Structures are given as C-alpha cells and as structure tokens.
Amino acid sequence: MSFSLGLPWVSNGRTTVSGLISKVIPFSCVDGPGNRFVIFLQGCNFNCKNCHNPQTINFCNHCGDCVEQCPSEALSLNDGKISWNSRQCESCDQCLDICPVNSSPMVEEKTVEELLQQIRVASPFIDGITLSGGEATVQLKFVKAFFTAVKNDSALNHLTCLIDSNGYLPLSAWKSVLPVMDGAMIDLKAMDADLHKWLTGRDNFRVFQTIEYLASVSKLIEVRLLIIPNINDTAEEKMAVKDYLSSLNTNINIKVNAFSNKAVKGEAIDWLSLSEEKKALYLQSINR
C-alpha cells in the first residue's frame, strides 16, 4: 500500500491522511500549558544556525550514508529507500550525527488514525496536544486533517490543539487552520530584520504578521524568545523586544529560553550558552 504525504487516500472505504513524524512524546510539560501529547513533524522552512533539533530540518534523501555507521544494524537500504528497525535500534543517535543533509532515517510515516490510537491511551493524563517540529505548518494539510479528526472524536475533543511554530506561515493559511486550532506558541528569534535573516535564512516580516494576527483573534498563547549571548541580547535588541511585547495583550505569556551550545552544529558550537541567572535577568529587563 502506498500513499502521498499530506494527501487523502482511501483504505477500507475510509479517507485518511498521513504525515511524516520525527518523534512522539506522550507526556510533556514544556510544550504548552498543562500536560501535553507532543508530535514533532519532520521538515522546516527555516535553517537556523542555532537549531537544537537540526535532524528535523530536511527530508531524508535515502543516500545510505548512515547504514554502515549504525552500530546496532537497525538501518538497511532496500530498493533505494532507508528502512529503520525500531526494535533493533539502541537510540545512540549516531545516524543523526553523520547525516549530511540534517535529516533522520528514523522518521516514520503515520496516518491520522494511527496517532489518534496513541492519544486515546494517553488521554486520561493529558490536557492537550501540541504539534511541533521542525516546523509543523510545513505539513499544513496533515495538521488540518489531524486537528479536525481530534475535534470530531467525542472521546478526544476536550483536548486543546496547539501549534508550536516559527510564525512564517502566511495569514491566509493561518485563517484556514483557525477553525480547528485552539492556539499557537510563536518563536520570535530577532527583532532586527538583518539579524533574523542571518540567524534563520528568512526575514521576520511574516513572523510579526503572525503574532499580531493571532493576538487579534485571541489565538496567541505564547511568544517564545531564544536568547543567545552576544548575538540577540544586545541593548538595541532588548529594547526593541520590550517595546514590541508591550504592544501585545498582557494575558499573552512570554517565555524566555536559554541557548545551549549542546546539540547544535556548525558555528553555533562555539557560541556561549546562556546561564539560568542571565536568563532570569533578561526576562526581568523586558518585563511588561
């Protein structure tokens, strides 16, 4: 059986949709309010120098470089495609370290119904579901189909459906998912346009549009700031962040995350990590 990513297909008379899933965490208390079931979708339209999950950026090109390097022989190349044996995998993540395209051979294609079955098991212990990434909205057709299925399921429709996003989705697309989405957490990586483009490869115009639009329709749950010493914590950036956040409703949560040079690649390995003490001082300095 074969089917296309994000497109509907028919099985046993039922229409369903699939997504490429990087990881599932049944219980998380850091990906939105309350205890949450978190699904990390593969693929991102940013290419952040400071990405803490670089293996979620691109889709596997099945080059096979990881197969010979797998110490548990959990990977194989069959008919030009990588296969991953999860039962044989020892989770050493060596394949992620050597991947030349910032991807993962452990990404799985799952249908909406397969994920709903997992959520039904966790549902007595969670407050909601968060779609994260990568950038979840890169797979927007899957996002809409998945949230619609949750809202139509009488046993699950009490769970809040949130998106953790870089905010680059156009407004027309946000409007299309709004009827089945309860809210979003949006990353604001830099106020300065040139700095934002240097960090991410993209401008920040759409990010501001997203924040202001979601705030206007009461769907903005949180603005997230990842603070990197000597990069985006300058006096000018800090003042611009404070002024911008002051324009938003005070009910919107502001979360400061500390950059760590662990689990990053490239030049960011040499950047300074932010201490918890300096993180607290930063948050105090932008307090609205």
Side-chain angles (χ1 to χ4, degrees):
M1 181 182 298
S2 64
F3 43 92
S4 300
L5 175 66
L7 295 176
W9 57 287
V10 178
S11 175
N12 297 325
R14 298 179 63 187
T15 300
T16 188
V17 173
S18 66
L20 281 180
I21 311 302
S22 175
K23 190 175 184 179
V24 169
I25 298 180
F27 308 106
S28 169
C29 59
V30 296
D31 294 285
N35 200 9
R36 310 195 68 78
F37 189 100
V38 187
I39 302 171
F40 294 86
L41 302 184
Q42 185 71 14
C44 186
N45 46 10
F46 281 11
N47 189 21
C48 296
K49 296 175 184 290
N50 54 284
C51 183
H52 287 100
N53 300 298
Q55 74 278 3
T56 65
I57 294 176
N58 293 312
F59 296 99
C60 178
N61 63 5
H62 303 282
C63 67
D65 285 4
C66 54
V67 174
E68 293 298 323
Q69 302 294 326
C70 178
S72 58
E73 299 183 346
L75 300 173
S76 58
L77 189 61
N78 302 309
D79 296 327
K81 288 193 173 184
I82 298 289
S83 294
W84 172 54
N85 186 330
S86 59
R87 287 171 294 184
Q88 202 162 323
C89 179
E90 296 177 350
S91 302
C92 69
D93 289 345
Q94 189 165 314
C95 53
L96 306 183
D97 294 334
I98 66 170
C99 180
V101 295
N102 285 332
S103 186
S104 166
M106 298 179 283
V107 172
E108 295 183 282
E109 191 164 8
K110 292 189 175 184
T111 65
V112 168
E113 182 55 34
E114 286 173 325
L115 289 163
L116 292 185
Q117 289 174 10
Q118 289 184 253
I119 293 169
R120 289 186 185 105
V121 175
S123 63
F125 312 103
I126 59 176
D127 301 293
I129 305 158
T130 297
L131 295 185
S132 186
E135 169 54 34
T137 62
V138 167
Q139 299 188 46
L140 189 62
K141 288 181 180 177
F142 170 80
V143 170
K144 289 192 285 189
F146 175 74
F147 280 171
T148 299
V150 173
K151 295 301 182 185
N152 289 336
D153 190 312
S154 59
L156 301 178
N157 60 13
H158 64 288
L159 300 173
T160 55
C161 293
L162 305 183
I163 296 177
D164 186 355
S165 171
N166 61 25
Y168 201 70
L169 191 69
L171 292 189
S172 58
W174 279 118
K175 290 175 183 176
S176 74
V177 73
L178 219 56
V180 289
M181 179 190 83
D182 294 299
M185 290 78 71
I186 304 297
D187 294 338
L188 177 56
K189 298 176 187 296
M191 291 295 296
D192 181 83
D194 291 337
L195 176 59
H196 190 278
K197 193 164 188 176
W198 179 78
L199 274 172
T200 69
R202 301 275 189 171
D203 61 56
N204 56 7
F205 178 69
R206 282 189 185 175
V207 179
F208 293 129
Q209 277 192 329
T210 290
I211 289 173
E212 291 156 21
Y213 171 68
L214 292 179
S216 73
V217 294
S218 302
K219 294 280 189 175
L220 182 62
I221 303 296
E222 188 171 82
V223 176
R224 294 180 167 182
L225 310 166
L226 177 66
I227 301 307
I228 312 168
N230 303 327
I231 303 288
N232 65 352
D233 68 340
T234 63
E236 293 81 6
E237 268 288 308
K238 201 182 299 182
M239 183 59 69
V241 167
K242 182 175 182 178
D243 289 346
Y244 184 71
L245 296 180
S246 297
S247 68
L248 300 177
N249 190 310
T250 54
N251 291 329
I252 296 168
N253 191 44
I254 307 299
K255 184 173 183 179
V256 173
N257 290 317
F259 170 76
S260 168
N261 56 19
K262 310 295 183 188
V264 296
K265 291 184 175 180
E267 62 188 284
I269 293 173
D270 297 324
W271 295 355
L272 293 175
S273 297
L274 187 74
S275 67
E276 286 300 314
E277 181 184 6
K278 289 187 176 179
K279 172 183 160 182
L281 289 173
Y282 183 94
L283 182 58
Q284 188 178 16
S285 71
I286 62 166
N287 191 27
R288 295 176 292 173

